[in-house]
Amino acid sequence: MKKTAVFKSMMARRICLALALAAVLTVPVKARNIGGNVYKMCRNDIFTDYENRNVKKIVTEINGDGTFQAEDLGVWLRDTGIYDISLLREEGGYLKEEFYSFRQERVDDVYYYNEDASYVDFTCLVKAGDVIAVSDTERETVERVEIDGSFTTRTETTVNVNALLPAVDAP
């Protein structure tokens, strides 16, 4: 009887360890090693926000307390002007396809590796299936990626059911 309890305890520990390891390994975050097992996030690091509909985000500012500001990658790309963005088609306000044409000549030194920033490789920035922008009503997903870093996105308008429900005050 005692051997069975010890075996179950060991198996439970192994399962917990395997699940924890799997969770850590599935979060693709670029962070800079600053010695031993110590890492820090840098400006231009890109990560997936699994708590916000799996949208890809980019670190835009590092705060003094170790926290950071980040925004949706799609919003950031529109603001930088590195890509020419052209509308391919639109259907009744529910679907929009756009082409992001990469322009290497517009890449500034701020996107290269330095003391407080990571290098941004625009030719490998996104892959098909990446969500690059979300809001309460829209979701922009990468459809196709070209070898030069240009890509096509599909923006679908969604309905937020909670926004349609009347607000109820708690007693």
Side-chain angles (χ1 to χ4, degrees):
M1 190 73 121
K2 191 173 184 179
K3 287 183 181 180
T4 305
V6 170
F7 178 74
K8 285 182 180 179
S9 175
M10 285 176 41
M11 287 305 294
R13 286 183 190 158
R14 286 183 181 167
I15 290 171
C16 279
L17 180 61
L19 290 173
L21 185 59
V24 168
L25 294 177
T26 58
V27 180
V29 175
K30 295 189 312 184
R32 187 172 299 163
N33 183 316
I34 57 173
N37 291 330
V38 180
Y39 293 84
K40 74 173 188 173
M41 291 294 286
C42 296
R43 193 170 33 82
N44 300 337
D45 280 345
I46 297 171
F47 65 97
T48 302
D49 185 352
Y50 292 103
E51 293 180 5
N52 187 17
R53 297 191 279 177
N54 298 331
V55 66
K56 245 185 168 177
K57 295 202 176 257
I58 187 164
V59 175
T60 56
E61 184 179 330
I62 303 295
N63 301 327
D65 62 357
T67 61
F68 57 89
Q69 304 293 318
E71 66 180 305
D72 291 359
L73 185 60
V75 172
W76 181 81
L77 289 174
R78 288 181 187 281
D79 292 345
T80 62
I82 292 174
Y83 287 79
D84 284 336
I85 303 170
S86 54
L87 181 66
L88 296 177
R89 73 183 179 115
E90 192 166 6
E91 293 179 11
Y94 295 101
L95 172 72
K96 180 172 55 175
E97 287 188 352
E98 294 178 302
F99 183 68
Y100 285 67
S101 179
F102 177 60
R103 298 290 181 233
Q104 177 66 45
E105 65 274 6
R106 295 182 186 166
V107 176
D108 196 329
D109 287 343
V110 298
Y111 306 114
Y112 291 99
Y113 182 87
N114 65 44
E115 186 176 308
D116 68 339
S118 294
Y119 170 70
V120 178
D121 185 358
F122 289 97
T123 59
C124 301
L125 191 59
V126 295
K127 63 182 185 302
D130 283 346
V131 177
I132 62 169
V134 294
S135 70
D136 287 341
T137 59
E138 292 184 335
R139 178 183 176 114
E140 186 174 12
T141 306
V142 175
E143 289 286 308
R144 290 180 300 283
V145 181
E146 307 295 329
I147 198 161
D148 71 345
S150 299
F151 58 94
T152 303
T153 64
R154 176 184 184 105
T155 301
E156 295 179 278
T157 301
T158 59
V159 176
N160 182 353
V161 176
N162 292 329
L164 301 175
L165 299 173
V168 177
D169 292 331

